């Protein structure tokens, strides 16, 4: 997981600009991961899960601060959902890679059709949705 992102997550006294920077940087990393579905070691998967947890904490604090007003709450929530689903797919793909025989016959508990309800304005985000839908379609 990108070292720069881990450093960004260490910002403790975040103003709204710092929060937005952290959120956008993590989203950028996750969108890249959605395209490649990288093979990761157990320790990297744990860091990824921690990164997503920290992302969600920053987002929650940003929304609680009330400084998100120029942004849509629905769009913020939609990007959060997409970050979490990307992380799920990366973790799932690595579990399947590492434990192929044990995972045979198991599907995923997510329905890619649910992603059609997201409110996203960036074409890159919709590309990520298509990547996730493609991955989930393979295991659904």
């Amino acid at each position: 997981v990108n070292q720069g992102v881990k450093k960004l997550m260490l910002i403790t006294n975040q103003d709204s600009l710092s929060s937005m920077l952290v959120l956008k940087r993590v989203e950028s990393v996750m969108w890249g991961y959605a395209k490649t579905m990288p093979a990761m070691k157990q320790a990297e998967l744990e860091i990824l899960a921690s990164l997503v947890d920290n992302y969600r904490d920053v987002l929650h604090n940003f929304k609680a601060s009330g400084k998100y007003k120029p942004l849509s709450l629905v769009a913020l929530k939609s990007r959060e959902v997409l970050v979490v689903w990307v992380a799920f797919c990366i973790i799932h793909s690595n579990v399947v890679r590492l434990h192929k025989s044990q995972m045979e016959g198991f599907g995923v508990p997510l329905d890619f059709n649910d992603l059609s309800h997201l409110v996203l304005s960036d074409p890159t985000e919709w590309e990520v949705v298509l990547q996730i839908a493609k991955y989930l379609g393979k295991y659904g």
Side-chain angles (χ1 to χ4, degrees):
V1 176
N2 188 311
Q3 292 296 326
V5 174
K6 285 175 27 180
K7 289 178 185 174
L8 281 174
M9 297 307 278
L10 295 175
I11 298 171
T12 53
N13 250 346
Q14 296 172 342
D15 57 27
S16 59
L17 184 58
S18 297
S19 295
M20 288 179 14
L21 175 65
V22 168
L23 296 172
K24 291 308 263 180
R25 184 64 185 126
V26 172
E27 290 163 3
S28 176
V29 168
M30 296 303 285
W31 303 166
Y33 284 167
K35 293 176 185 171
T36 62
M37 289 293 165
M40 294 183 172
K41 297 177 181 169
Q42 180 66 35
E44 292 172 310
L45 293 172
E46 290 171 10
I47 292 169
L48 178 67
S50 179
L51 178 68
V52 171
D53 288 342
N54 289 332
Y55 169 90
R56 296 182 80 196
D57 289 342
V58 170
L59 180 60
H60 173 76
N61 292 336
F62 179 58
K63 291 190 297 188
S65 75
K67 295 184 179 174
Y68 66 87
K69 297 295 184 195
L71 304 170
S72 161
L73 273 178
V74 175
L76 289 171
K77 184 65 176 175
S78 292
R79 289 197 307 267
E80 177 186 14
V81 167
L82 196 53
V83 164
V84 171
W85 281 42
V86 168
F88 171 86
C89 290
I90 292 167
I91 292 168
H92 182 268
S93 71
N94 279 278
V95 168
V96 168
R97 180 179 58 81
L98 295 169
H99 306 284
K100 191 168 185 114
S101 62
Q102 294 93 332
M103 294 297 292
E104 194 171 312
F106 283 95
V108 292
L110 303 176
D111 180 355
F112 66 86
N113 291 307
D114 292 339
L115 296 172
S116 67
H117 301 289
L118 298 181
V119 176
L120 304 167
S121 58
D122 186 338
T124 302
E125 295 165 346
W126 284 109
E127 290 172 20
V128 172
V129 168
L130 293 175
Q131 291 295 326
I132 297 307
K134 181 178 169 183
Y135 180 83
L136 294 175
K138 189 172 16 171
Y139 291 99

